[in-house]
Amino acid sequence: MIENLIRENIKKLKPYSSARDDFNGDKAIFLDANENPFGILNRYPDPYQTELKIKLSAIKNLPIENIFIGNGSDEIIDLTMRVFCEPQKDKILICPPTYGMYEVYAGINDVDVIKVPLDKNFQLDTYTILETVNKENIKIIYLCSPNNPTGNNLECIQTILENFKGIVFIDEAYIDFSSAKSYTKRIIEFPSLIVSQTFSKAWGMAGVRVGVAFSSTGIIEFLNKIKPPYNVNELSQKKIISTLDNQQEFQKKLKTILQERDKMISQLQKIQTIQKIYPTATNFILIKIENASQIYDELVKRKIVIRDRSKIVANSLRITVGTPEENTVLLNELKNLLNKPKHQ
Ligand SMILES: *Cc1c(COP(=O)(O)O)cnc(C)c1O
């Protein structure tokens, strides 16, 4: 039962009732919310983003009751922690190297983080995970697939879903780049599963700040209960609705990025000082290289910013796939830097 996993104070919480909760049509005289009667963005946005959800529901083939919209998927990570984790008591489990925000939000919410590192192939150590959840007070397992920054799909998520009684949160920020199957359809089978996706990566809408969670109605209900009433602004809702109407554009950009990525990989393979190019199912490439931090600094001097991930994967740089022009500049600079004789 999901109810048993919810924090007591959240169960008891009386949510803010927004001015528009009692009447939903648009042909009325609205003198209820102290808005300004003049203008075009003068009204508060739809707190439940219904029009956007109807569009998404058709695309994803899931009822709108199973959809939650967040101010970016980062907001969803935070809200899930606040629904389920009692500060200083409940814990979350993550599998590093992975996305940094799970730990940041745990810190903000005063929730302890237990880490079960990925194995040498960046896959889940399911045995240790399941052993750990039995010993510790783990409420949520955050999994990221395809994983950031390693780039690979996680293989054994199902084993976790079948054996863990708490919440499994699957962060699918990069799923559209991957040929792996999304877990969105499995929310019926696993009521304590939350799958999050975002418009920030494959959809190219990072500036709009819209993320989506798919889950059982029991969980969606509580996310709605604690979210800021108007968490997604009017402009963002409209922008995503019009983006969803142009799926062709989305497919075209996605294809270009994937082609560019594969071209970049074949170019990078020719640079001998690169020790390893990790397999990727995303729009970024993680490489292993000695002196990663020095190379990163040299690139910054040349006004090219990539990501130094050496602190979480030894000697590694993460390169996001850019436009064909940007990728060419990066590759040329990298070749110049790396093919230079060592000066030590
Ligand atoms: C980029 C990223 C996000 C952030 O998504 P927003 O919707 O922009 O908040 C979430 N998870 C992972 C793994 C990411 O890489």
Side-chain angles (χ1 to χ4, degrees), residues 72-74 99 144 148 171 173-174 198 200-201 209:
S73 48
D74 279 352
Y99 186 50
C144 185
N148 178 5
D171 185 336
Y174 298 95
T198 178
S200 299
K201 307 286 159 68
R209 308 306 304 129

Side-chain angles (χ1 to χ4, degrees), residues 10-238:
I10 300 297
K11 267 193 261 186
K12 283 192 221 133
L13 180 82
K14 200 173 167 302
Y16 177 73
S17 105
S18 97
R20 246 5 88 70
D21 281 352
D22 299 330
F23 184 88
N24 248 324
D26 35 55
K27 293 247 159 36
I29 296 174
F30 290 115
L31 303 174
D32 56 340
N34 299 345
E35 296 151 332
N36 189 312
F38 308 111
I40 37 165
L41 285 166
N42 56 324
R43 298 295 178 187
Y44 281 105
D46 173 5
Y48 298 109
Q49 310 95 15
T50 310
E51 203 184 334
L52 169 50
K53 282 181 189 166
I54 291 170
K55 281 248 147 72
L56 265 177
S57 161
I59 292 169
K60 299 286 178 181
N61 210 0
L62 285 166
I64 67 167
E65 294 76 25
N66 296 100
I67 303 177
F68 176 85
I69 311 285
N71 194 320
S73 48
D74 279 352
E75 183 183 44
I76 298 169
I77 297 168
D78 181 38
L79 288 175
T80 49
M81 238 172 264
R82 294 201 275 163
V83 166
F84 298 105
C85 298
E86 198 58 44
Q88 298 185 2
K89 182 176 151 236
D90 297 328
K91 299 174 186 177
I92 65 157
L93 186 147
I94 63 171
C95 303
T98 191
Y99 186 50
M101 289 308 286
Y102 314 129
E103 203 169 354
V104 172
Y105 280 123
I108 293 170
N109 290 307
D110 206 4
V111 167
D112 270 355
V113 180
I114 303 292
K115 296 179 185 175
V116 178
L118 296 173
D119 67 17
K120 63 178 191 330
N121 299 315
F122 297 141
Q123 288 300 329
L124 296 173
D125 176 356
T126 46
Y127 180 83
T128 311
I129 292 173
L130 294 172
E131 201 183 46
T132 309
V133 296
N134 285 330
K135 281 189 301 208
E136 301 272 0
N137 211 5
I138 307 287
K139 266 297 188 55
I140 311 178
I141 300 177
Y142 286 89
L143 303 174
C144 185
S145 184
N147 187 39
N148 178 5
T150 60
N152 59 299
N153 295 307
L154 298 182
E155 277 157 15
C156 298
I157 295 178
Q158 174 132 358
T159 313
I160 309 288
L161 282 168
E162 283 166 354
N163 294 286
F164 176 54
K165 301 269 187 301
I167 303 294
V168 178
F169 185 107
I170 309 178
D171 185 336
E172 291 189 340
Y174 298 95
I175 194 70
D176 292 309
F177 296 110
S178 169
S179 51
K181 224 170 158 214
S182 164
Y183 272 85
T184 45
K185 288 286 154 52
R186 315 293 296 277
I187 58 169
I188 318 292
E189 211 177 322
F190 300 106
S192 57
L193 166 65
I194 302 171
V195 180
S196 91
Q197 296 185 354
T198 178
F199 283 93
S200 299
K201 307 286 159 68
W203 284 91
M205 294 274 132
V208 175
R209 308 306 304 129
V210 171
V212 188
F214 302 92
S215 190
S216 58
T217 51
I219 289 179
I220 300 292
E221 225 171 84
F222 279 100
L223 290 174
N224 279 327
K225 189 175 179 184
I226 71 159
K227 80 181 183 73
Y230 306 108
N231 62 326
V232 182
N233 74 69
E234 179 83 22
L235 292 173
S236 296
Q237 293 189 40
K238 289 226 168 83

